[in-house]
Amino acid sequence: MSAGPAAAPSECREPAATARGRAAGRLAAAALPVVFVPIWSSGYLAGTLGARSGASLALVAWRFLVASTVLGAVSLATRAPWPRERRTYAHLLVTGVLLQTVQLGGVFFGLAHGVPAGLSSLVLSACPLIVAAVAVPMFSERLTGRQWAGLALGLAGVVVCVSGNLSGGARTAGYAYTGLALAGLAAGTLYQKRFGGSVDLRTGTTVQLLGATLTTLPLAMAHGGLRIPLTGQALGSLAWLASSTRSARSSCCSSCCGAARAARRPACCTWCRR
């Protein structure tokens, strides 16, 4: 008497699982810009409101303090693994100072000096162009002629947009701060690429924010203090900046890299390369 058809071996089921993983990866990649870009871009609008309602550095310092406290609590509650080596902490702190203190401090000073939020976002969008160009000699990466042409075209577009809006001493100072923010973002990205290791996203970002907090608090105290106006505009800006944009980065990064692992592709960021 026949026992019926035999169960399909696991080897036969793997292609279906792989196909589902790849489909999930493609879906996550398609949905990522739709979710991430509006939330991330809203930080420039919230930053404009906050910077023009009170002390820019105070707002940045409180943002880092609140975000590091909340994310640190989440890391402890979820038992996220912390780095084991001291040099890893040192690299994370340096990265935090560049990516957080220098970048966001420069952005907020620029916004406070009248740089439009959209133009500030456009200037910082030149970061991939700078990183790609520097990565060629630094990391021996290669770019095709088409990629070089794209970089040149993108950089030319940023220069044209910015040059048409430079006017007056205040605006010039604002764009100088925005340029400093771009330099911090590019340097932090390259530093993280060079020294970033297999660090959990939650704890790694917590240490970065701690470094930003420790460097921003003294600067804020020396330039106007830590007091921010107790208005809905200032407090709402602080709440949005400290929670939504940070959550967007963490959740979108985790989703994207998780889908990449399911599809058996390399992770898309330094944090998730385990």
Side-chain angles (χ1 to χ4, degrees):
M1 183 175 180
S2 174
S10 59
E11 291 79 1
C12 295
R13 294 194 296 268
E14 285 184 356
T18 302
R20 287 194 297 270
R22 290 177 178 174
R26 288 193 295 268
L27 180 61
L32 186 63
V34 177
V35 177
F36 181 78
V37 172
I39 297 178
W40 185 264
S41 301
S42 68
Y44 290 93
L45 300 177
T48 300
L49 294 175
R52 297 180 181 177
S53 66
S56 299
L57 274 179
L59 187 64
V60 173
W62 280 109
R63 176 198 182 181
F64 291 151
L65 180 60
V66 172
S68 61
T69 302
V70 172
L71 193 55
V74 170
S75 300
L76 293 175
T78 57
R79 298 181 179 181
W82 293 84
R84 297 182 180 181
E85 299 182 2
R86 293 183 179 179
R87 63 179 181 179
T88 303
Y89 281 96
H91 290 320
L92 288 171
L93 291 173
V94 172
T95 304
V97 171
L98 293 172
L99 289 180
Q100 308 292 347
T101 304
V102 178
Q103 180 207 168
L104 293 181
V107 166
F108 273 74
F109 269 126
L111 295 174
H113 282 76
V115 177
L119 207 52
S120 177
S121 174
L122 179 63
V123 171
L124 266 70
S125 69
C127 178
L129 311 179
I130 298 174
V131 171
V134 175
V136 171
M138 182 176 290
F139 303 111
S140 300
E141 295 184 356
R142 295 183 178 180
L143 296 179
T144 64
R146 181 178 298 180
Q147 290 172 324
W148 278 115
L151 291 176
L153 183 61
L155 183 59
V158 173
V159 171
V160 169
C161 292
V162 173
S163 61
N165 288 272
L166 291 175
S167 61
R171 280 291 179 88
T172 302
Y175 282 111
Y177 285 123
T178 305
L180 178 63
L182 174 60
L185 178 57
T189 302
L190 291 168
Y191 188 92
Q192 182 171 282
K193 180 178 178 62
R194 175 64 179 84
F195 297 104
S198 298
V199 183
D200 185 88
L201 177 65
R202 295 158 292 182
T203 55
T205 307
T206 299
V207 178
Q208 282 192 6
L209 289 171
L210 178 60
T213 302
L214 294 177
T215 52
T216 307
L217 283 175
L219 292 175
M221 294 177 65
H223 294 81
L226 296 174
R227 184 180 179 276
I228 60 175
L230 298 180
T231 62
Q233 179 174 310
L235 295 178
S237 174
L238 173 61
W240 182 259
L241 291 171
S243 59
S244 62
T245 53
R246 182 58 50 191
S247 300
R249 172 191 168 184
S250 301
S251 60
C252 289
C253 177
S254 298
S255 299
C256 180
C257 292
R261 285 194 294 267
R264 296 184 180 182
R265 293 184 286 104
C268 61
C269 72
T270 302
W271 301 119
C272 301
R273 289 174 186 159
R274 296 175 177 275

